[in-house]
Amino acid sequence: MKKYVIGLDYGSDSVRAVMIDAQNGAELASEVFWYPRWKAQKYCKPAINQFRQHPLDHIEGLEHTITSVMEQSGVSPETVKGVCIDTTGSSPMPVTKDGTALACVKGFEENPNAMMVLWKDHTAVKEANEINELARNWGGVDYTMFEGGIYSSEWFWAKILHVAREDKSVIDATHTWMEHCDFITYLLGDEKDLKDFKRSRCAAGHKAMWHESWGGLPDKEFLSKLDPYLASLRDDLYEETFTSNEIAGHLNKEWADKLGLTTDTVIAVGTFDAHAGAVGAKVDHHALVRVMGTSTCDIMVSSNEAVGDRTVKGICGQVDGSVIPGMVGLEAGQSAFGDVLAWFKSVLQWPMDNLVLNSKVLSEAQKKELKAEVESKFIRSLAEQAEGIPLSEAIPVALDWVNGRRTPDANQELKSAISGISLGTKAPHIFKSLVNAICFGAKMIVDRFEEEGVKIETVIGIGGVARKSPFIMQTLANVLNMPIKVAESDQAPALGAAIYAAVASGIYDNVIEASKVMGSDFEAEYFPQSSQVEVYAKLLEEYKQLGNFVEEQTNKNK
């Protein structure tokens, strides 16, 4: 009998499901669902870095995508052996005692504080600073030591503390908090005891200061110094965590009926998208996998022996089993990557959205046609013209910190800047400066790993940017002075989730074996151009100088 698995990948804008043949990794079907409430930018306030998502977007997407791949593939329900979910993170949400998302409870349906606090939400900068100050000075264990030594406003405890202080009604109605990957896994599974439910090692280790050496989560004494609520919440969280090769439960009857599957289908422990993406791209020793989308997550794996007791400073965590069980997963990343270019596009598109599309001269059909044409050509045309600008020409220097800095040394209070603008600066010049900036940000991450003794021999790019923008990928190869391979799969995180599902359901013995068979091949490779490498090295120094100046001014103004 054929055996199939489903990977479900929740991104910032959409969720996608893939049906994978577990015996060869072939993709039988895929489906994408764009979050309607998120697309309308409900519950978000970009001016204060508030980004919330309603769980109904994710629940509706779950049903739509899986039923669609079942219909497209035509496989028998009993042949689908496992499902695994990966999501963004840290993206926690409050839930009630019976496991219901609080935003689905009457009275909280439109309350942003009752919703999922998306990874890119930076409303908790003050709370993250408090956590860092306490961790360094309270006289006990530094609970940030395995998370790069700096706790971020993008992460679990800071976000919960912010909501607790802002909205007592939410806290009074909340029993516990769950990461997005845990909540969807819980929703599908038949294990309904919240205390015993298997939480993600990946999520807990990288974002919630969970570590084996101090017995799990930070102790109540530490948490109570931040807020008594956090200490009381700890009792309703978890002690143990689990890797995604393990079974969280089986599909419950309600969702088996909705999805056209059976209750024999295994539900694997959930994980984060970038870590699953690394598995989908066949991550191995000394390989840096860059998951390039709205932001980036940079993932590596290392043996426990190689890492030892060493902690890598300024990254987003080192967690045993977060990528491949039995190996240490190392995470870094940029808070904005594709978002940097999307921001510039939105600035340039203001006249189109506010003047042209509101014109009374054009018909609605003409407006729709014009908007579609602009959408299809906008970034491509900018990239083509930017690529043609020689590096000898005056190009502004930009920082990629439009959403703060994640790595190295998380600081979400930092803002972007552009210098060197003149009357000769045109849109393609600024676009080129922004492309340079996101590549220089990547170089800073690579340099930090190598400074900390983590050797990088191979760089693998996955995601939409990697596959669709040769200009960015070639610039990145020149800046890093390393060859970069691009994974062939359009859905590497979903494929990685499917690989975990195949192991959890017993089709393969371990993740490495499964990824060798099911993982993505590579479709392209970019090599450094020797004539460009030296020039980019000089431009990198200008990027560093601008960055140092902006950071100094930010610190002065605190």
Side-chain angles (χ1 to χ4, degrees):
M1 184 192 295
K2 279 279 195 179
K3 295 178 180 178
Y4 305 101
V5 285
I6 294 173
L8 195 64
D9 169 43
Y10 282 89
S12 298
D13 302 321
S14 62
V15 56
R16 57 211 55 83
V18 293
M19 176 75 75
I20 302 293
D21 186 330
Q23 286 154 294
N24 56 24
E27 182 183 300
L28 277 70
S30 68
E31 181 68 12
V32 177
F33 176 88
W34 298 89
Y35 311 137
R37 298 164 188 80
W38 171 254
K39 192 173 182 179
Q41 283 297 282
K42 288 188 172 185
Y43 320 117
C44 297
K45 295 180 181 177
I48 61 168
N49 293 312
Q50 176 181 301
F51 298 98
R52 309 291 166 86
Q53 289 189 338
H54 202 295
L56 285 179
D57 273 351
H58 307 124
I59 295 168
E60 290 165 7
L62 162 67
E63 185 169 359
H64 173 83
T65 55
I66 293 186
T67 54
S68 179
V69 296
M70 286 297 293
E71 184 179 337
Q72 289 176 50
S73 64
V75 304
S76 300
E78 62 272 12
T79 63
V80 180
K81 299 301 180 183
V83 176
C84 182
I85 291 95
D86 75 72
T87 70
T88 65
S90 178
S91 298
M93 68 176 79
V95 300
T96 63
K97 199 162 190 175
D98 65 358
T100 301
L102 187 60
C104 296
V105 173
K106 187 176 180 181
F108 293 96
E109 304 98 319
E110 301 297 318
N111 184 340
N113 291 318
M115 295 174 192
M116 192 184 84
V117 186
L118 189 64
W119 64 268
K120 68 193 284 183
D121 186 296
H122 290 164
T123 53
V125 168
K126 177 178 177 289
E127 289 75 13
N129 288 339
E130 289 178 37
I131 291 170
N132 286 315
E133 182 71 18
L134 179 63
R136 296 186 189 108
N137 298 305
W138 79 298
V141 173
D142 180 356
Y143 290 112
T144 70
M145 65 173 15
F146 291 104
E147 293 182 311
I150 301 174
Y151 201 75
S152 170
S153 63
E154 293 184 346
W155 299 346
F156 188 79
W157 291 108
K159 288 177 170 177
I160 294 171
L161 182 54
H162 178 76
V163 172
R165 289 173 172 174
E166 190 168 81
D167 198 330
K168 189 174 185 299
S169 69
V170 165
I171 296 310
D172 288 345
T174 297
H175 173 67
T176 190
W177 287 74
M178 300 183 85
E179 280 285 357
H180 187 197
C181 65
D182 288 328
F183 174 76
I184 300 294
T185 302
Y186 175 84
L187 188 71
L188 290 180
D190 57 357
E191 175 53 70
K192 293 305 180 185
D193 185 329
L194 281 169
K195 192 66 178 173
D196 291 336
F197 174 73
K198 292 181 179 178
R199 307 278 191 130
S200 166
R201 168 77 57 84
C202 177
H206 284 287
K207 311 302 179 188
M209 298 188 283
W210 184 96
H211 199 267
E212 303 96 318
S213 65
W214 49 72
L217 294 168
D219 71 25
K220 293 178 73 169
E221 182 185 355
F222 174 82
L223 295 173
S224 66
K225 289 179 182 294
L226 292 165
D227 194 287
Y229 171 68
L230 298 188
S232 64
L233 174 64
R234 191 189 188 284
D235 292 332
D236 294 315
L237 288 171
Y238 50 89
E239 296 296 335
E240 291 186 84
T241 62
F242 300 84
T243 53
S244 292
N245 61 320
E246 298 187 68
I247 298 173
H250 290 79
L251 188 61
N252 61 57
K253 188 174 188 313
E254 177 189 357
W255 278 96
D257 291 344
K258 285 182 180 180
L259 302 176
L261 291 168
T262 77
T263 55
D264 291 330
T265 302
V266 164
I267 306 298
V269 172
T271 190
F272 283 162
D273 48 5
H275 303 72
V279 169
K282 300 179 182 177
V283 67
D284 206 344
H285 289 85
H286 309 306
L288 176 70
V289 178
R290 305 207 79 228
V291 185
M292 291 181 277
T294 54
S295 67
T296 75
C297 263
D298 296 14
I299 303 294
M300 298 189 70
V301 294
S302 180
S303 67
N304 281 280
E305 293 74 22
V307 174
D309 295 328
R310 210 157 29 93
T311 55
V312 182
K313 295 180 179 63
I315 64 169
C316 304
Q318 53 193 82
V319 180
D320 188 8
S322 66
V323 182
I324 295 175
M327 299 183 75
V328 177
L330 304 165
E331 178 192 342
Q334 291 167 268
S335 291
F337 194 78
D339 265 355
V340 176
L341 307 181
W343 162 79
F344 187 52
K345 177 188 172 188
S346 71
V347 171
L348 294 185
Q349 204 167 305
W350 188 93
M352 169 67 71
D353 293 340
N354 291 274
L355 299 175
V356 177
L357 297 182
N358 288 328
S359 168
K360 295 180 180 179
V361 176
L362 299 173
S363 69
E364 290 304 313
Q366 288 173 319
K367 291 177 187 178
K368 188 175 181 180
E369 184 180 348
L370 182 60
K371 185 176 182 180
E373 184 177 0
V374 170
E375 282 289 330
S376 66
K377 295 180 179 179
F378 203 111
I379 293 293
R380 186 173 74 245
S381 298
L382 269 176
E384 287 171 357
Q385 291 199 34
E387 190 171 9
I389 300 172
L391 290 177
S392 58
E393 195 166 321
I395 300 163
V397 180
L399 300 176
D400 52 314
W401 300 340
V402 296
N403 199 27
R405 184 181 65 207
R406 182 180 296 159
T407 314
D409 305 320
N411 187 342
Q412 304 306 342
E413 293 178 281
L414 295 174
K415 306 294 182 187
S416 182
I418 304 176
S419 70
I421 293 174
S422 72
L423 290 175
T425 304
K426 309 298 182 189
H429 291 85
I430 298 176
F431 185 83
K432 191 177 185 88
S433 76
L434 295 173
V435 169
N436 290 348
I438 58 178
C439 294
F440 292 148
K443 172 66 170 168
M444 299 297 286
I445 292 171
V446 169
D447 287 352
R448 175 56 61 90
F449 271 126
E450 296 194 325
E451 287 162 8
E452 292 288 313
V454 180
K455 187 177 181 183
I456 297 173
E457 295 177 347
T458 305
V459 179
I460 299 169
I462 66 175
V465 175
R467 297 199 72 212
K468 295 174 184 176
S469 182
F471 170 47
I472 294 176
M473 297 309 294
Q474 185 59 63
T475 302
L476 187 60
N478 290 335
V479 170
L480 297 183
N481 194 18
M482 289 182 179
I484 303 172
K485 294 188 287 188
V486 177
E488 183 178 66
S489 174
D490 262 336
Q491 311 289 5
L495 176 58
I499 289 170
Y500 285 130
V503 179
S505 55
I507 300 171
Y508 292 94
D509 289 334
N510 59 68
V511 173
I512 293 176
E513 178 190 341
S515 68
K516 285 178 180 176
V517 177
M518 298 174 62
S520 175
D521 291 326
F522 302 103
E523 66 176 10
E525 188 165 9
Y526 294 86
F527 295 92
Q529 298 164 317
S530 56
S531 62
Q532 305 286 294
V533 169
E534 190 174 336
V535 182
Y536 276 112
K538 291 176 181 175
L539 292 174
L540 174 64
E541 292 308 309
E542 296 179 10
Y543 168 90
K544 289 180 181 178
Q545 289 171 12
L546 179 60
N548 289 338
F549 173 77
V550 169
E551 191 157 9
E552 286 171 7
Q553 295 305 307
T554 302
N555 290 336
K556 281 181 185 177
N557 294 330
K558 278 186 179 180

